[in-house]
Amino acid sequence: MLQRQSKAAPRPRRRSGVAGSAALAAAAFAVLAWLVGLVEVPGVSSPAPWVQQQVGSVPSAQLESAKTALAQIPVKGRAPKTGYTREQFGQAWADTDRNGCDTRNDILARDLVAPTFKPGTRDCTVLSGTLHDPYTGRDIEFQRGERSADVQIDHVVPLSDAWQKGAQQWPAQKRLAFANDPANLRAADGPANQEKGDGDLATWLPPNKSFRCEYAVAVVAVKAEYGLWMTQAEHDKAGELLAACRAA
């Protein structure tokens, strides 16, 4: 009598090898992307030399000074924003240096190329000029009037950020000086300034990557000068940017 031969059970498909290969390929791609600067790892700078070129450079003495200052800036959490208003920093664009011009016009005259002035204002009220905007890398034609907002004056360390990191404990006169300090002010592209809002280094950086080194150095210098602190995230980002800066 013939016996039926039992059919062998189908072998399961081996997918583990394919999945493992895919995972390895993904990991390798991630490492490669970091090496060439396509992605950022918080606190760890890419070794690729062109990544350093992307954030720009500052004079070596200035860079070393910023690194020293950063090491001394306290790291704390944000204080509550309770009580913050623009008025806490005094009159907007006051003439704190008593040169007869308000701070906004002082900064426009400093940062614009070939500024023109309203007659009869002793070269105080700026009417026009060209801004080589560091935040975006664009040239912007400033014209006082309906398009005045195309160029705005940015607080490098925003007033709200300062309020939450030490400034609410200051006397009114120090807050007024801070809000009008030329070292903390820069003429900038209006939309970029609006996008920044009250962002710190951990939440906003200039779209123009080649200016990020200089921008980080400025933030560190202002915070060190005024005794403001940083959050851990901001301190880490500042360290990352300074490590990527080139010494000119």
Side-chain angles (χ1 to χ4, degrees):
M1 183 176 178
L2 295 176
Q3 294 181 346
R4 294 182 180 178
Q5 294 181 350
S6 59
K7 294 183 178 180
R11 294 182 179 178
R13 295 182 179 179
R14 299 181 63 184
R15 296 186 178 181
S16 59
V18 175
S21 298
L24 287 173
F29 177 79
V31 172
L32 179 61
W34 169 70
L35 287 172
V36 300
L38 294 177
V39 297
E40 296 181 357
V41 177
V44 183
S45 298
S46 168
W50 54 86
V51 176
Q52 290 188 322
Q53 294 173 7
Q54 287 179 352
V55 301
S57 64
V58 294
S60 57
Q62 192 176 359
L63 179 57
E64 291 307 312
S65 177
K67 290 179 178 179
T68 300
L70 179 62
Q72 299 172 356
I73 293 178
V75 176
K76 303 180 185 179
R78 283 181 180 272
K81 195 175 178 179
T82 307
Y84 169 74
T85 62
R86 174 61 179 84
E87 289 70 29
Q88 291 284 2
F89 289 81
Q91 175 189 342
W93 310 132
D95 180 16
T96 54
D97 61 1
R98 302 191 179 187
N99 68 347
C101 302
D102 63 69
T103 303
R104 173 178 168 79
N105 279 295
D106 282 342
I107 300 304
L108 288 173
R110 182 195 70 183
D111 291 352
L112 296 181
V113 176
T116 65
F117 301 90
K118 183 178 179 180
T121 63
R122 299 179 181 178
D123 287 350
C124 179
T125 303
V126 178
L127 294 179
S128 65
T130 301
L131 175 66
H132 299 317
D133 177 46
Y135 287 178
T136 63
R138 298 192 305 114
D139 287 346
I140 303 171
E141 296 302 323
F142 171 76
Q143 292 287 337
R144 182 173 295 274
E146 293 183 1
R147 297 189 59 185
S148 289
D150 288 356
V151 174
Q152 299 178 10
I153 307 303
D154 175 51
H155 286 94
V156 177
V157 175
L159 302 185
S160 175
D161 182 64
W163 177 262
Q164 296 175 79
K165 296 174 181 175
Q168 59 185 279
Q169 301 166 12
W170 295 348
Q173 195 61 32
K174 184 174 180 179
R175 289 198 292 266
L176 177 67
F178 177 82
N180 292 277
D181 187 344
N184 191 39
L185 297 171
R186 190 178 298 276
D189 173 70
N193 185 44
Q194 292 298 312
E195 178 187 77
K196 172 183 174 179
D198 59 1
D200 62 14
L201 284 174
T203 58
W204 187 88
L205 290 171
N208 178 19
K209 291 184 177 181
S210 65
F211 184 69
R212 290 181 177 181
C213 172
E214 186 174 338
Y215 180 77
V217 167
V219 170
V220 170
V222 170
K223 291 209 164 185
E225 175 68 22
Y226 281 89
L228 295 168
W229 68 74
M230 290 182 170
T231 62
Q232 188 65 62
E234 183 183 19
H235 198 276
D236 289 347
K237 177 55 76 171
E240 176 186 328
L241 289 167
L242 295 184
C245 285
R246 289 180 294 115

